[in-house]
Amino acid sequence: MVLRIITNFFSRIFVGLFSRRNNLSIGFYGPPNSGKTTLANRICKDFAGKEIGKVSKIPHETRNIQLMEEINFEHKKKKMKFKLVDTPGIATKIDYEDFMKHGLKEKEAKKRAKEATKGVIESIKWLDDVNAVIVVLDALQNPYSQVNITIIGNLVARKLPVLIVANKMDLKKANLKRVEAAFPEYDVVGISAKKGKNMEEFYESLYRLVK
Amino acid sequence: MKSRTRTRTRKTSLKSLTLQFIPYAEISNLDSVNRIKKLLKVILANKIILLQGKLRADEETRLIEDTMALIGSVKGFKGIELAVLSPQISTNFFDNMKRGLAKMLIGDSDSITIIGPASIVREMRRDPNKIQLLLKKK
């Protein structure tokens, strides 16, 4: 608890430097198919009036960085402007045969795999250009996966403020407690980006993260 | 019934599996580029690495980047599975100080890192105290 207060205090000072310069960028990171674009779309629809990208059940739908240059965030009289950076899911393996299981033809699957590998590299490179990060995790999956730990470890090493989102909370097997137990030193918000569940708390936490 | 059991056994049997242990001393003097090069060389030889210690956060992301670059260029390479087991962080100040001092002197060698080629290791299931390796059916 004390550690979290200290971390948040320094995070706010650090991010405050950027927000005063009015060039705050918030990155959406996480493993593939955790709902990063679904959440980004909801925020963009709420504060910019349009969606940022396409979503799909097939992993690695987002294979390029997607940007929404100006989000005019306003929630309960709290205002801020930021650039939203939606990134391709970070993975340690990409097998075109997995895409074929989702009904893609071999040629299409190979193309998707090639683009997905480039997307992962691009996501990692963009870590240099964001001031705060929302890590979107699938609350149905094991949170102890090394990709999650690698992403969060990297953000800590870069001293970036982090908010963890446990997404897909509308589904029966979603387990918020497991995500909280895996990352006890971070704020974890359970939401359903698809159904818009608990977005109020998410927006509160988002504002706290960067202000 | 008998024939079904026999078929299943044949399908899941592996011809051989090599686990290569890399002591921390073997990578401690290498720079990040050469550490990752060394690890990827072993993985490309279809071996599972048991590394004493762990990579730094920036080295882990570098390993992922290099892995992604190799997927397109090395035939049959589909990436890696990776898991790290570290000792639980103590809340005791003196324990943490002792660990920090030891880390400074001999490096971060109290963790275990397992890295395997995704063509062999289907999944690594990790929880705080154990790692389960699920292998691909041959």
Side-chain angles (χ1 to χ4, degrees):
Chain A
M1 189 64 195
V2 176
L3 186 70
R4 189 188 290 180
I5 291 166
I6 295 168
T7 316
N8 286 347
F9 174 73
F10 283 107
S11 301
R12 272 173 221 160
I13 290 174
F14 180 74
V15 173
L17 292 172
F18 293 96
S19 56
R20 270 194 286 279
R21 276 192 262 142
N22 206 22
N23 61 352
L24 177 66
S25 293
I26 301 180
F28 283 60
Y29 280 83
N33 251 20
S34 59
K36 296 175 290 301
T37 305
T38 309
L39 178 58
N41 276 343
R42 186 160 285 278
I43 297 168
C44 289
K45 261 203 300 196
D46 285 352
F47 302 108
K50 57 181 177 185
E51 294 193 339
I52 195 170
K54 224 174 101 192
V55 294
S56 158
K57 281 187 179 171
I58 309 173
H60 297 282
E61 180 62 30
T62 307
R63 299 186 292 283
N64 291 302
I65 298 288
Q66 305 184 124
L67 301 172
M68 187 62 80
E69 287 292 338
E70 196 171 290
I71 300 278
N72 289 302
F73 177 92
E74 192 176 344
H75 178 69
K76 293 182 182 170
K77 293 180 183 172
K78 290 163 185 163
K79 292 179 184 179
M80 64 175 173
K81 265 186 194 176
F82 63 87
K83 177 158 90 178
L84 190 152
V85 184
D86 181 29
T87 67
I90 295 181
T92 56
K93 60 176 180 184
I94 293 170
D95 185 354
Y96 75 90
E97 286 173 353
D98 290 340
F99 300 136
M100 289 170 72
K101 287 174 196 160
H102 288 273
L104 296 190
K105 297 248 166 65
E106 189 176 334
K107 198 178 164 188
E108 206 181 343
K110 280 184 174 168
K111 186 174 172 260
R112 193 182 183 93
K114 198 176 175 184
E115 289 170 355
T117 57
K118 285 181 183 164
V120 174
I121 296 171
E122 215 187 331
S123 288
I124 293 170
K125 294 216 185 308
W126 263 84
L127 280 170
D128 294 333
D129 297 303
V130 294
N131 313 120
V133 171
I134 310 289
V135 177
V136 184
L137 303 180
D138 182 341
L140 277 80
Q141 302 294 325
N142 180 5
Y144 293 100
S145 116
Q146 192 60 35
V147 166
N148 298 344
I149 291 160
T150 301
I151 295 169
I152 292 167
N154 227 273
L155 300 172
V156 171
R158 290 163 189 261
K159 297 185 173 66
L160 287 171
V162 178
L163 172 65
I164 298 176
V165 168
N167 192 23
K168 306 190 186 180
M169 286 306 296
D170 56 306
L171 301 175
K172 240 184 183 177
K173 287 183 179 170
N175 192 338
L176 177 62
K177 283 197 175 143
R178 194 165 56 158
V179 181
E180 285 173 335
F183 305 105
E185 60 271 43
Y186 297 97
D187 272 337
V188 179
V189 188
I191 64 159
S192 164
K194 192 178 172 183
K195 308 265 179 185
K197 195 178 155 190
N198 207 24
M199 290 305 288
E200 293 285 304
E201 193 192 335
F202 168 73
Y203 286 143
E204 288 285 332
S205 304
L206 177 64
Y207 186 81
R208 270 204 312 271
L209 179 76
V210 292
K211 284 289 169 186
Chain B
M1 188 67 195
K2 261 186 182 175
S3 66
R4 195 185 296 164
T5 314
R6 217 176 292 138
T7 314
R8 196 177 297 152
T9 313
R10 207 180 298 136
K11 268 187 177 175
T12 54
S13 67
L14 263 174
K15 272 189 179 171
S16 72
L17 180 69
T18 311
L19 303 177
Q20 182 161 338
F21 176 66
I22 302 181
Y24 187 75
E26 231 176 87
I27 61 156
S28 61
N29 293 325
L30 299 176
D31 60 20
S32 296
V33 175
N34 284 313
R35 273 184 190 190
I36 290 159
K37 223 187 231 178
K38 187 181 178 80
L39 297 176
L40 282 173
K41 198 176 163 189
V42 178
I43 292 161
L44 288 173
N46 278 336
K47 293 173 186 170
I48 295 172
I49 297 171
L50 290 177
L51 172 71
Q52 182 189 17
K54 65 175 183 179
L55 297 172
R56 289 198 317 263
D58 62 305
E59 289 173 337
E60 265 187 29
T61 41
R62 179 72 190 263
L63 175 66
I64 295 175
E65 281 184 278
D66 290 359
T67 299
M68 289 299 122
L70 283 176
I71 290 176
S73 51
V74 176
K75 203 183 165 194
F77 183 65
K78 293 167 179 177
I80 57 168
E81 278 288 340
L82 167 77
V84 182
L85 264 190
S86 298
Q88 296 278 351
I89 295 167
S90 166
T91 49
N92 185 311
F93 174 76
F94 292 104
D95 282 352
N96 286 335
M97 204 170 78
K98 266 193 281 179
R99 180 166 292 132
L101 196 65
K103 206 169 154 181
M104 257 169 49
L105 294 170
I106 56 163
D108 195 356
S109 59
D110 57 356
S111 307
I112 296 170
T113 305
I114 305 177
I115 314 169
S119 53
I120 295 175
V121 184
R122 179 164 53 91
E123 194 186 340
M124 281 189 195
R125 280 191 196 154
R126 180 190 180 280
D127 67 31
N129 302 312
K130 67 176 181 195
I131 296 174
Q132 254 183 307
L133 262 67
L134 308 180
L135 303 181
K136 282 212 166 172
K137 287 179 184 176
K138 282 279 169 185

